Amino acid sequence: MPTILERYQQQFQNHRNLAQQANQIFPDGITSDGRYTEPFPIYIQQAQGSKKTGICGKELIDYWGGNGALLLGHNPPEIVAAVTQQIQNGTHYSACHSLEIEWANLVMELIPSAERVRFTNSGTEANLLAIRLARTYTGKKKLIRFVGHYHGWHDSVILGANETPESGISQSISDMTIVCPPNDIHAVEKWLQTDPDIAGIILEPTGACSGVIPTTGKFLSQLRELTQYYGVLLIFDEIITGFRIAPGGAQAYYQVMPDLTTLAKVLAGGLPGGAVVGKTEILNLISKREQAKLAQGKKVSHLGTFNANPLSAAAGIAMLKIVKTGEPQAQVEQLAKTLRRGLNDIIDQHHLDWVVYGKFSCIKFLIGHQVHHLKTADFDPYQWNFCQLMRRGNPELRQRLRQGLLLSGVDISLSSVTMTAHSAADIEQTIAAFAQTIDWMKADGLI
Ligand SMILES: Cc1ncc(COP(=O)(O)O)c(C=O)c1O
């Protein structure tokens, strides 16, 4: 019987042909580090609803969900209609337009701490702007961030996001970045007590990688108290959580209000786009008019060719009108719960040291945690060493699992999400694919 790897090489032969061309063009043959796949990635030609179709015609149930940007699935009719109409009216005005106002009004209606809005092109850019605003507002320079929390790939936030050391970051930026262990309020307090030059604290409010290392509402409240006491800005990176876990994001769910919030993904309805929102007096540091009035000379520059692009605005408006109801969030949460339970039942049946965990619509895999005889229901990520959670287990098993699932018609990553387009049949099929892959892994002598 062929191994999983042999099946993969054979079944996805024409994907390999494209990958070989891509290897001559792109580093690793890919255009984003997150798409790195051994021995080669899958190439997609089309997507609809809960599924993507590979260039070989194979249908794959998709749990990448556009890296969290697609709450409803691929091409929801409301968004297709909005973008189709807008594309007839122009894709780029280099001018103000009414859609940006409608879009921002929806953002302010939903996100409780949003008094003002500034659109950016991506989540990375939103965090870049938020940090610059925090430095300008406080007149201080340093940023506290947490191990494993991802805020984009720019210099100020990439240190500590991965276990691998980062290159190309200047010493001056490293000196301005304080990386604390996740959920460690004492470490944060110590820094705030001893260093008067801290401008802000940034975090993903549901924890590193949207809950791979989960955090608690209590930790958020403690951060809020400390930051207020020490005159430091609290920045919630709600690029994944915004609109996804609740219409008002994590801040509404946990009732903790940050000074600044960064948004992207669901914000733009599956098209590129981001935003910084927050207190008027902080966002007004971008304003020429306000700065002239205050004569402070503290203007934060913010430009961007594609900011509030009309296509993204049209998609974003259509999306936010739907997320406003709270129905999609409840639906994806229920789907994720059913999927997590189904996958864990299989793990328990096979007595594997694996677990699928997460909250809201999130599906997190830990494959090979090396604590044998631990039932998945007894797994408590808060009791777990955060480095182990971050590593996600055994790299070889993770690769084979991914390959086996792709062969069985499921494209799921170690950190995935459900979308409203997923049907009960999709969930059942995914659980069956997981069981099939485990059988193959056993036959390969991997587990
Ligand atoms: C929490 C979080 N912050 C920031 C980013 C960066 O956003 P973008 O990829 O749009 O630059 C991401 C992207 O995955 C994210 O998940």
Side-chain angles (χ1 to χ4, degrees):
M1 197 166 93
T3 63
I4 294 177
L5 186 56
E6 286 162 350
R7 281 169 209 264
Y8 188 91
Q9 305 259 24
Q10 199 189 355
Q11 193 175 129
F12 297 118
Q13 175 81 40
N14 44 1
H15 297 253
R16 180 165 58 182
N17 296 342
L18 274 191
Q20 281 167 348
Q21 288 179 41
N23 284 336
Q24 304 307 312
I25 305 167
F26 310 119
D28 282 338
I30 50 175
T31 52
S32 168
D33 284 1
R35 294 179 199 150
Y36 185 87
T37 311
E38 284 291 351
F40 52 82
I42 294 298
Y43 285 79
I44 301 299
Q45 60 176 352
Q46 202 260 341
Q48 185 62 49
S50 62
K51 301 202 178 78
K52 300 193 285 207
T53 310
I55 50 161
C56 54
K58 189 174 179 66
E59 274 203 339
L60 301 165
I61 304 171
D62 177 33
Y63 292 94
W64 285 72
N67 289 31
L70 306 177
L71 180 64
L72 310 175
H74 295 275
N75 318 334
E78 299 84 347
I79 291 176
V80 171
V83 174
T84 308
Q85 191 191 331
Q86 182 54 40
I87 210 163
Q88 326 281 341
N89 295 335
T91 59
H92 193 351
Y93 304 139
S94 292
C96 303
H97 52 90
S98 64
L99 290 177
E100 65 191 13
I101 299 175
E102 191 180 351
W103 193 17
N105 272 328
L106 280 161
V107 173
M108 292 198 293
E109 183 186 331
L110 294 176
I111 303 292
S113 68
E115 295 172 8
R116 286 286 185 278
V117 178
R118 185 72 172 220
F119 288 114
T120 63
N121 290 308
S122 68
T124 299
E125 282 188 20
N127 283 327
L128 181 62
L129 177 59
I131 293 164
R132 195 168 316 151
L133 284 168
R135 290 194 170 120
T136 307
Y137 184 76
T138 59
K140 306 181 209 174
K141 292 191 284 302
K142 294 185 186 165
L143 179 76
I144 292 184
R145 49 150 300 126
F146 297 95
V147 174
H149 287 233
Y150 180 64
H151 305 296
W153 55 272
H154 68 76
D155 294 17
S156 291
V157 288
I158 195 65
L159 293 168
N162 302 305
E163 279 193 307
T164 44
E166 289 300 335
S167 315
I169 313 289
S170 76
Q171 191 58 44
S172 60
I173 296 274
S174 304
D175 293 346
M176 293 305 130
T177 311
I178 299 165
V179 184
C180 280
N183 301 327
D184 190 339
I185 200 69
H186 301 295
V188 173
E189 189 165 17
K190 219 166 164 187
W191 274 108
L192 293 175
Q193 277 167 350
T194 53
D195 194 331
D197 201 20
I198 297 168
I201 298 183
I202 188 167
L203 82 161
E204 290 186 70
T206 61
C209 287
S210 55
V212 168
I213 309 168
T215 194
T216 60
K218 182 176 168 204
F219 181 66
L220 300 180
S221 305
Q222 288 171 323
L223 282 178
R224 181 65 287 185
E225 261 178 48
L226 281 178
T227 46
Q228 261 159 357
Y229 183 79
Y230 286 98
V232 166
L233 294 196
L234 182 59
I235 307 168
F236 277 4
D237 176 339
E238 295 234 41
I239 283 159
I240 288 267
T241 56
F243 314 109
R244 175 171 279 281
I245 73 165
Q251 56 198 267
Y253 184 86
Y254 289 111
Q255 284 298 302
V256 178
M257 295 307 136
D259 300 295
L260 290 173
T261 302
T262 52
L263 300 162
K265 304 206 188 244
V266 174
L267 168 78
L271 268 68
V276 178
V277 305
K279 291 191 174 148
T280 305
E281 58 179 349
I282 306 174
L283 269 286
N284 272 353
L285 291 169
I286 306 171
S287 158
K288 238 182 223 170
R289 221 175 274 144
E290 288 301 317
Q291 290 321 299
K293 258 197 284 183
L294 296 172
Q296 285 178 336
K298 283 208 253 171
K299 164 89 178 81
V300 171
S301 294
H302 178 240
L303 299 101
T305 301
F306 288 102
N307 293 352
N309 174 263
L311 291 181
S312 299
I317 291 165
M319 176 66 110
L320 296 191
K321 282 182 179 164
I322 297 169
V323 304
K324 204 166 130 167
T325 61
E327 283 164 23
Q329 294 86 349
Q331 208 178 325
V332 289
E333 187 168 336
Q334 189 52 49
L335 286 160
K337 208 180 266 180
T338 310
L339 180 57
R340 287 193 299 260
R341 194 181 315 121
L343 299 176
N344 279 330
D345 284 347
I346 292 171
I347 290 171
D348 287 335
Q349 280 161 24
H350 289 272
H351 307 289
L352 297 173
D353 63 334
W354 299 7
V355 68
V356 182
Y357 66 103
K359 241 185 123 167
F360 310 108
S361 57
C362 299
I363 316 280
K364 312 290 181 195
F365 287 85
L366 181 55
I367 301 298
H369 54 58
Q370 298 185 332
V371 179
H372 298 280
H373 311 297
L374 176 72
K375 283 242 184 277
T376 53
D378 296 329
F379 173 81
D380 177 5
Y382 295 101
Q383 304 300 326
W384 220 261
N385 176 295
F386 70 82
C387 295
Q388 211 173 353
L389 294 178
M390 222 171 131
R391 266 175 229 137
R392 323 271 180 97
N394 177 319
E396 191 192 351
L397 295 184
R398 289 182 344 219
Q399 263 180 34
R400 288 298 173 273
L401 176 67
R402 175 112 206 278
Q403 291 157 2
L405 286 167
L406 283 166
L407 285 164
S408 317
V410 175
D411 191 4
I412 195 161
S413 76
L414 294 175
S415 185
S416 281
V417 289
T418 46
M419 309 182 281
T420 59
H422 286 124
S423 64
D426 287 334
I427 302 291
E428 256 178 53
Q429 202 181 318
T430 305
I431 295 167
F434 189 69
Q436 168 71 83
T437 302
I438 287 175
D439 288 343
W440 285 338
M441 289 174 82
K442 283 193 156 169
D444 284 2
L446 292 165
I447 48 177

